[in-house]
Amino acid sequence: MKFFIIPNMTRTNAFDITKALLVKISEFGSTAVLNSSLKKFFGEFVGVSYCDETELGNCDAVISVGGDGSFINAAKKATQADKPIICVNAGKLAYLACIESNELELIGEFIKGNYITEKRMLLDVSIIDKNCKILYHSYCVNDAVVSRSGAIRIMKLSISCNGAPLIQYMADGAIVSTPTGSTAYSLSAGGPVIEPSVESILLTPVCPHSVFSRSVVLGGDSLLEITHDNSGEAILSCDGQEAVIIPDGAVVKITKSDKCSSFVKIKDDTFIEILNKKISG
């Protein structure tokens, strides 16, 4: 079996964990593949091959070593290649981790076929100008965030669902998340936690200037359209990546993607058990 390893080398312990992972994969008679740019870190390991990430599709699975942010970025790459994704925790909370750093032997269970995959919905996000031209498109595993940029001022966001007006927020911004993303930025902004198996779209305001502004949970097939009041520069960020400007008069359209991510689950702990463990520390 062949694994494409994507470590987040900015994590202080990612190097040591990845080394141990490479050894474990070799012990199980499998092959580890790394991006060519990482050869300077791991070139000493026998049996490890290096290639460009375009070759990811030739592997059986993707392993991310890092935290949830690293996992989200790796999951996008795995989804494009239609491969399952395994997360090895080298961070702190890591709600999405499949394996902790002291559980690397569980890779053997994956090789034996003792695992399941959880299909997680993605969001399809576009910015469309007033001439109906698509200016930007992306997929989100966690969330899409519309917020203000530049001067610190409140913004008015108008949001419709399936063509009908839904809500207006006077706020710093709005988060549209998948159930997977409900434990990320949306949770910090006061949003609810949604079990990943519940296919839905979560809308949460950021610092709303109203005591009545709350999160809204919508059906998984909903189409959201978000416009702003043009009183200042607005930006869109998908899964925490580099933000793009939303031009005046443009609309942000968000709906369920036709793609989904395959998250590997090896242990038999439930989502609620994981949540309680991570929140309680």
Side-chain angles (χ1 to χ4, degrees), residues 4-278:
F4 196 98
I5 318 296
I6 305 179
N8 179 358
M9 298 304 291
T10 65
R11 294 279 184 176
T12 55
N13 55 346
F15 177 70
D16 289 336
I17 294 173
T18 303
K19 283 200 306 181
L21 178 63
L22 295 177
V23 171
K24 190 62 65 176
I25 289 173
S26 178
E27 288 177 355
F28 285 122
S30 294
T31 302
V33 181
L34 290 162
N35 188 288
S36 300
S37 63
L38 297 174
K39 192 170 185 177
K40 59 185 177 182
F41 296 105
F42 303 103
E44 66 193 70
F45 285 87
V46 177
V48 176
S49 59
Y50 297 89
C51 66
D52 188 85
E53 286 186 354
T54 56
E55 298 298 315
L56 187 150
N58 294 325
C59 295
D60 297 291
V62 176
I63 302 179
S64 170
V65 180
D68 281 343
S70 310
F71 189 30
I72 292 303
N73 290 329
K76 286 187 174 184
K77 297 172 183 178
T79 300
Q80 289 294 333
D82 194 25
K83 300 297 178 182
I85 176 80
I86 302 169
C87 182
V88 176
N89 186 13
K92 295 180 180 178
L93 287 176
Y95 289 104
L96 304 178
C98 170
I99 297 174
E100 298 298 322
S101 58
N102 62 345
E103 299 174 328
L104 297 182
E105 69 279 356
L106 290 178
I107 290 294
E109 296 303 309
F110 180 87
I111 294 171
K112 295 174 185 175
N114 298 329
Y115 68 94
I116 61 172
T117 55
E118 296 180 340
K119 298 295 184 182
R120 303 287 185 95
M121 66 173 281
L122 307 183
L123 295 176
D124 187 289
V125 184
S126 300
I127 298 176
I128 301 175
D129 70 10
K130 48 193 172 185
N131 296 316
C132 297
K133 180 182 178 181
I134 298 176
L135 305 178
Y136 172 82
H137 177 265
S138 182
Y139 297 105
C140 291
V141 178
N142 257 2
D143 51 39
V145 180
V146 176
S147 60
R148 53 178 168 73
S149 177
I152 299 176
R153 58 163 65 102
I154 203 165
M155 67 190 305
K156 181 179 180 181
L157 294 171
S158 299
I159 304 168
S160 67
C161 179
N162 298 329
L166 173 64
I167 197 168
Q168 287 187 335
Y169 289 132
M170 295 295 294
D172 285 353
I175 306 162
V176 181
S177 75
T178 63
T180 299
S182 69
T183 56
Y185 188 14
S186 177
L187 178 63
S188 298
V193 173
I194 301 176
E195 190 171 9
S197 61
V198 179
E199 193 168 273
S200 56
I201 296 176
L202 173 60
L203 172 63
T204 302
V206 179
C207 297
H209 192 65
S210 169
V211 295
F212 300 110
S213 293
R214 295 290 184 267
S215 297
V216 180
V217 181
L218 301 162
D221 291 324
S222 300
L223 168 62
L224 295 184
E225 296 180 296
I226 304 175
T227 58
H228 65 96
D229 60 2
N230 302 325
S231 63
E233 188 173 86
I235 56 175
L236 168 69
S237 177
C238 293
D239 284 336
Q241 295 179 336
E242 185 175 354
V244 295
I245 295 173
I246 304 170
D248 290 352
V251 59
V252 178
K253 291 191 175 183
I254 304 174
T255 190
K256 182 180 74 171
S257 171
D258 57 358
K259 300 178 182 293
C260 62
S261 289
S262 297
F263 287 12
V264 171
K265 182 174 176 58
I266 298 175
K267 297 183 288 184
D268 59 2
D269 47 357
T270 67
F271 173 74
I272 299 302
E273 289 172 338
I274 295 170
L275 190 66
N276 285 333
K277 179 181 179 181
K278 298 292 184 178

